[in-house]
Amino acid sequence: MRVGVLTGGGDCPGLNAVIRAVVRKGVERYGHDFTGFRDGWRGPLEGDTVTLDIPAVRGILPRGGTILGSSRTNPLNAGNGVRRIKENLAKYEVDALIAIGGEDTLGVAARLGDEYGIACVGVPKTIDNDLSATDYTFGFDTAVNIATEAIDRLHTTAESHMRVLVVEVMGRHAGWIALHSGLAGGANVILVPEQRFDVDQVCAWVESRFKIRYAPIVVVAEGAMPKGGEAVLKDESLDSFGHVRLSGIGEWLAKQIEQRTGKEARTTVLGHVQRGGTPSAFDRWLATRFGLHAIDAVQDGDFGKMVALRGTGIVRVPLTEATARLKTVDPALYAEAGVFFG
């Protein structure tokens, strides 16, 4: 067989580990050939390819990003997108596709399989950890480690100047990064998209820390919203999947804290630094296992499936199930962190 591989959506630590595992096992165990498609779904849409073989994947395990490139291209919104993909798969004699991505990338793979008969296997990738069919997605652990290290460093400067430091982390609809890094980093307030927050309560928590001469750290997910308010947007533009660009809740909240408490407040937006750099050991391990099981699914002809982590085992779940809903922070789990607020 000739198998196509693409990486879509935002870049993520561990993508190269998946590519490496797919190619190594696919070539050595099954004798398959591989074609890489550049820049997510743009690759099969425009026929932009690169040969993937064992020499091509040597040394990429610890590298961040993706050797194939990525994009947020939605072929279902492109003119004659499905027809163009089918024609290019036939042109390059690709029998099956392994799509590595999050809800949008895998949502396209699910539709291409269910509605148009294209043989696809999915691998879950997102630093947000918000795919419901898997316990963890690779990239999440690295992002949490980066955010936690930043919070650790910010504690010292906050204490030196006795000011409030607001740390804005990624998380459009799910607050997993904020919750995990906030708890691990000893934040005094954690705000997530799943629970609208009361600005007055946040200010009360901040002031309670100053009473014991302790400079507070507030961790806020980019998608968090105040009660009675709306998400803070970077601009009104939409990507090809209909998503707005979020950014600014940290700066907005810092201004509110200053105005209401009279305490100096500064904002640190971690942004894309959470996506970059070498993947953690856990993410390399998980991404490698996902790649090994994804090529097994292709070999078995078990298409329309996504590989997923359940406990310590890797299972296959329908792509339609994997993309049906987001995995968000359970209110009970968020409530556990409340003992550290204020």
Side-chain angles (χ1 to χ4, degrees), residues 90-105:
K91 176 182 177 180
Y92 294 101
E93 299 180 333
V94 172
D95 303 296
L97 271 177
I98 294 179
I100 311 166
E103 59 165 324
D104 294 324
T105 300

Side-chain angles (χ1 to χ4, degrees), residues 166-181:
V166 179
V167 185
E168 182 181 310
V169 300
M170 285 186 168
R172 176 182 297 273
H173 300 298
W176 293 109
I177 294 177
L179 181 62
H180 281 239
S181 65

Side-chain angles (χ1 to χ4, degrees), residues 166-170 220-222 247-251 268-271 274:
V166 179
V167 185
E168 182 181 310
V169 300
M170 285 186 168
V220 56
E222 63 184 353
S247 182
I249 186 62
E251 192 66 37
T268 298
V269 180
L270 296 184
Q274 294 159 95

Side-chain angles (χ1 to χ4, degrees), residues 170-216:
M170 285 186 168
R172 176 182 297 273
H173 300 298
W176 293 109
I177 294 177
L179 181 62
H180 281 239
S181 65
L183 272 175
N188 308 110
V189 181
I190 302 170
L191 305 175
V192 298
E194 294 86 345
Q195 301 279 332
R196 286 182 176 260
F197 63 88
D198 185 323
V199 179
D200 289 332
Q201 178 62 74
V202 172
C203 291
W205 284 326
V206 164
E207 291 183 311
S208 73
R209 303 308 289 176
F210 279 111
K211 289 178 182 178
I212 58 172
R213 295 200 53 79
Y214 190 94

Side-chain angles (χ1 to χ4, degrees), residues 32-229:
H32 296 325
D33 295 315
F34 290 88
T35 294
F37 287 102
R38 290 190 175 98
D39 303 333
W41 287 112
R42 188 191 69 79
L45 190 66
E46 299 181 4
D48 191 354
T49 68
V50 59
T51 298
L52 285 178
D53 53 19
I54 289 179
V57 300
R58 286 198 181 112
I60 68 173
L61 176 64
R63 286 174 55 182
T66 164
I67 63 170
L68 293 177
S70 191
S71 73
R72 297 191 182 278
T73 302
N74 184 352
L76 300 178
N77 287 343
N80 297 313
V82 175
R83 178 182 61 78
R84 290 160 61 189
I85 287 176
K86 283 188 169 183
E87 288 176 352
N88 283 320
L89 292 180
K91 176 182 177 180
Y92 294 101
E93 299 180 333
V94 172
D95 303 296
L97 271 177
I98 294 179
I100 311 166
E103 59 165 324
D104 294 324
T105 300
L106 298 184
V108 170
R111 287 193 58 188
L112 290 177
D114 281 359
E115 299 177 24
Y116 304 102
I118 295 175
C120 294
V121 169
V123 177
K125 170 244 49 160
T126 168
I127 66 170
D128 291 333
N129 197 40
D130 59 0
L131 285 172
S132 61
T134 183
D135 289 349
Y136 284 97
T137 55
F138 68 88
F140 172 67
D141 184 70
T142 303
V144 168
N145 286 339
I146 292 169
T148 301
E149 181 181 357
I151 296 166
D152 287 345
R153 293 176 180 274
L154 290 170
H155 271 294
T156 58
T157 188
E159 292 163 4
S160 298
H161 295 276
M162 288 304 292
R163 60 167 62 117
V164 185
L165 283 182
V166 179
V167 185
E168 182 181 310
V169 300
M170 285 186 168
R172 176 182 297 273
H173 300 298
W176 293 109
I177 294 177
L179 181 62
H180 281 239
S181 65
L183 272 175
N188 308 110
V189 181
I190 302 170
L191 305 175
V192 298
E194 294 86 345
Q195 301 279 332
R196 286 182 176 260
F197 63 88
D198 185 323
V199 179
D200 289 332
Q201 178 62 74
V202 172
C203 291
W205 284 326
V206 164
E207 291 183 311
S208 73
R209 303 308 289 176
F210 279 111
K211 289 178 182 178
I212 58 172
R213 295 200 53 79
Y214 190 94
I217 299 285
V218 178
V219 174
V220 56
E222 63 184 353
M225 292 182 285
K227 290 180 179 178

